[in-house]
Amino acid sequence: MLRLNALPPEIQDSVAETQRRVASLHKELTRNRLVVWTAGNVSERVPGSGNAGVPGLFVIKPSGVSYDALSPEVMVVCELDGNKINDGTADRLQPSSDTAAHAYVYRHMGEIGGVVHTHSTYATAWAARQEPIPCALTMMADEFGGDIPVGPFALIGDDSIGRGIVETLRHSRSPAVLMAQHGPFTIGPDAEAAVKAAVMCEDVARTIHIARQHDDVRRIDQELIDALYRRYQRAYGQRN
Amino acid sequence: MLRLNALPPEIQDSVAETQRRVASLHKELTRNRLVVWTAGNVSERVPGSGNAGVPGLFVIKPSGVSYDALSPEVMVVCELDGNKINDGTADRLQPSSDTAAHAYVYRHMGEIGGVVHTHSTYATAWAARQEPIPCALTMMADEFGGDIPVGPFALIGDDSIGRGIVETLRHSRSPAVLMAQHGPFTIGPDAEAAVKAAVMCEDVARTIHIARQHDDVRRIDQELIDALYRRYQRAYGQRN
Amino acid sequence: MLRLNALPPEIQDSVAETQRRVASLHKELTRNRLVVWTAGNVSERVPGSGNAGVPGLFVIKPSGVSYDALSPEVMVVCELDGNKINDGTADRLQPSSDTAAHAYVYRHMGEIGGVVHTHSTYATAWAARQEPIPCALTMMADEFGGDIPVGPFALIGDDSIGRGIVETLRHSRSPAVLMAQHGPFTIGPDAEAAVKAAVMCEDVARTIHIARQHDDVRRIDQELIDALYRRYQRAYGQRN
Amino acid sequence: MLRLNALPPEIQDSVAETQRRVASLHKELTRNRLVVWTAGNVSERVPGSGNAGVPGLFVIKPSGVSYDALSPEVMVVCELDGNKINDGTADRLQPSSDTAAHAYVYRHMGEIGGVVHTHSTYATAWAARQEPIPCALTMMADEFGGDIPVGPFALIGDDSIGRGIVETLRHSRSPAVLMAQHGPFTIGPDAEAAVKAAVMCEDVARTIHIARQHDDVRRIDQELIDALYRRYQRAYGQRN
């Protein structure tokens, strides 16, 4: 088992900072009411890992632990095969039961630095029907660049879920996939971006669900979606 | 009337710890918006009671008292016939008006250590229609192992509600029952597990209700439900 | 204009206590999400007023003031004709624009000590359709003793709203009326009871609305409603 | 670039006070759940600007900044062409990506002092269907004086959105417009009034949406709407 204290000091520091970020980002899941009890998780690839002889690492929520109890120290550090490393504490917690899916994404999508999984109500309702969310709002064109796609039905326990996520998102602009009869997974360059995608995914899932209750909504024309997506990705927020 | 201070000291300590747990778990009902005003309650069997000459005991919310006012000391201690014991305070509160139903469960299901009752919106809506919630989400297979069943219409005032709960759940994997035109009751090995079941019951009731607003949802195949349930019951969370 | 300091000292004390209760009960409107911005109000008859030469008095929210700014001192004291009294402060606020409706209730229903008005979402939705809420849940039988009735469409500005409330509720067990295309008014022996009725009214309005989205719900048989109502009114809560 | 410290001292003070108000009013967007993540903004015209040689100015949220981080100092000061001024800080933030729309309103509607944009769920659902909200509640007659109209579909990036807002609202009593497949914009004499309109717009959008789920709702007769609107605009709240 890989030992944390055998890694270069700058990687140990990077692990600790990642644990702080991941612990803190779980608060956004509860604040935005994307999760109940312990059913949702955030992970982030450790910056600097996966190079120069340091194996790829990511940090993820421990399994079944209440969101109130998520301090940085209890966040679990794993290698890209999904096995946790030895961080020197006697009482190491088990990582999330979704760890294999997160790990699969990190192994197969090198540009991805953050993964989030929730069972947020409206996104999961579309997933239950196995129906993609049509791109009918400008905000959805901005963030998702098109429809939010549905992934396959997959059982937990092997690579099925991870493979379903990667195969669905690899050729999509959407950072979100609705896994059939399960719930949304979102990805991003870092954990904060994946959390933002989870928040926005639930928001558009809810708004378009409600809009359709009284009449059909029409998808925005593809060329307008393209124009909105390109502008937003380039111009929104603060450029450093 | 049984006197608390006539019980062995270790049982008196166990009562006090149970009062603390039960008082604290009521906060989860309000936090998860499962209750309004005073309409919902948690109880827990006192560990160690029911053996060696000590009668079976459980702790339950007092009737009609605001959730803000629920300190451990006001939680009512009852015998398994539903009568409160004399805990030495002059101004003993009356237990929840649902006490008889909780007591019936403890008398007839020896392995059950916690019972929760709410009128949470979506679960109660299924109860109003007397329709079981179909197992259409992996999370529901994990926690409930199948559909959430409906219990009979029963009036308060005798053992009808308790008997309806026990007869419905005795041969079910589900820890939740939707009592017709009334609301959900949930059970578990302890009060925390019963509270978790109440939270999850409302969550799946809401998600599947919403999913069905735009099209039918399909039940997961029974063998897949079985596989999910077995894995979750065995592998989720931290094993001590 | 009646002067507060010309009233007997015990009535002045009773006014001050009523102001504290009414200010505090407005927090339940926001906590239970029954109101937005400034659109909802609580009033209470001043205990001891209306006897022995002291005119009848009630305390009500000032018009258009944010819920955050509701201290006891800003609560307005009115006579039963709806005119505010001179409480000795230079900068007296105007009472709620619904004051005439509250005053009408106090003048015509001597046993009523509290009135609440909100535009809570689901109750107002039934009011928009002018449809009574059918008594389809045991909790509704307990609290309302039957359906929640609809009152007439009435313009603000004279006694129309008050008269509509009184004529609808005078011969009903329900403490709530849905004023057509307007919203619910609730009454009770004191302001806390009227607030409880407002909270429960929204809760059953929401649950039965949602239940009906997938199928009809059936009204509970009248004799069972009667049994539930009588028991709840007699046995619920703590008897002093 | 205009420099803040080249303006008269009383205008500099007015800018600072406007920054405080605008920063604080964003808290109402989150408290009323009108926004998620960073997707919504408030602006206000600087009182005293636009006269006596001082150019017209307004204050608006910076782009992509979390609501938790909105202190008065980070609120961006712009001229009426939408360009930010030099306020003497080295690290000036970019204004909201909706700044051009706000600026267009201030240039073309001289009486307007505040603008708010959100993607609040129910208002945006009506906008997705491009359907005006019918005036079916007395509260809606009070605040909006009729239906809430739909504006055109418009791309971000030039004056299209601003022009759509102004052309729709110029001849309407409604302070809210639902921009097609985008979301609501609201206006008012100051920012607080525009925020109130955003809160009330979402509230009536939600209530009337829900009312219609079980049957049609009827529009209030125009003469009654007129009577309610005139009374509310004249008599509600505290007159100074």
Side-chain angles (χ1 to χ4, degrees), chain A residues 38 63 68 94 181 209 213, chain B residues 31 138 213 218 236-238:
Chain A
T38 62
S63 181
D68 289 346
Q94 293 300 324
Q181 299 192 274
H209 175 96
Q213 289 185 315
Chain B
R31 166 146 74 152
T138 56
Q213 289 185 315
R218 62 182 294 278
Y236 189 77
Q238 306 298 326

Side-chain angles (χ1 to χ4, degrees), chain C residues 40-77:
Chain C
N41 37 72
V42 177
S43 73
E44 188 169 55
R45 197 192 290 267
V46 174
S49 74
N51 285 309
V54 177
L57 299 172
F58 67 99
V59 168
I60 193 166
K61 177 180 181 293
S63 181
V65 173
S66 159
Y67 294 108
D68 288 347
L70 291 187
S71 59
E73 311 82 55
V74 304
M75 306 309 295
V76 184
V77 189

Side-chain angles (χ1 to χ4, degrees), chain C residues 169-192:
Chain C
L169 294 185
R170 186 171 267 158
H171 305 294
S172 173
R173 288 196 295 215
S174 169
V177 52
L178 310 172
M179 292 299 286
Q181 299 193 277
H182 184 169
F185 282 81
T186 58
I187 59 177
D190 56 24
E192 187 181 11

Side-chain angles (χ1 to χ4, degrees), chain B residues 162-227:
Chain B
R163 198 163 50 235
I165 298 167
V166 169
E167 287 176 2
T168 311
L169 293 185
R170 186 170 267 157
H171 305 294
S172 174
R173 289 196 294 215
S174 169
V177 52
L178 309 173
M179 292 300 285
Q181 300 193 274
H182 184 169
F185 283 80
T186 58
I187 58 177
D190 55 25
E192 187 182 12
V195 170
K196 180 187 180 192
V199 170
M200 302 306 268
C201 176
E202 178 65 6
D203 197 60
V204 298
R206 180 173 48 232
T207 302
I208 296 177
H209 175 96
I210 288 170
R212 285 208 315 179
Q213 289 185 315
H214 288 307
D215 202 356
D216 287 341
V217 294
R218 62 182 294 278
R219 204 173 176 280
I220 299 174
D221 293 340
Q222 188 61 46
E223 66 192 300
L224 298 177
I225 291 174
D226 292 347

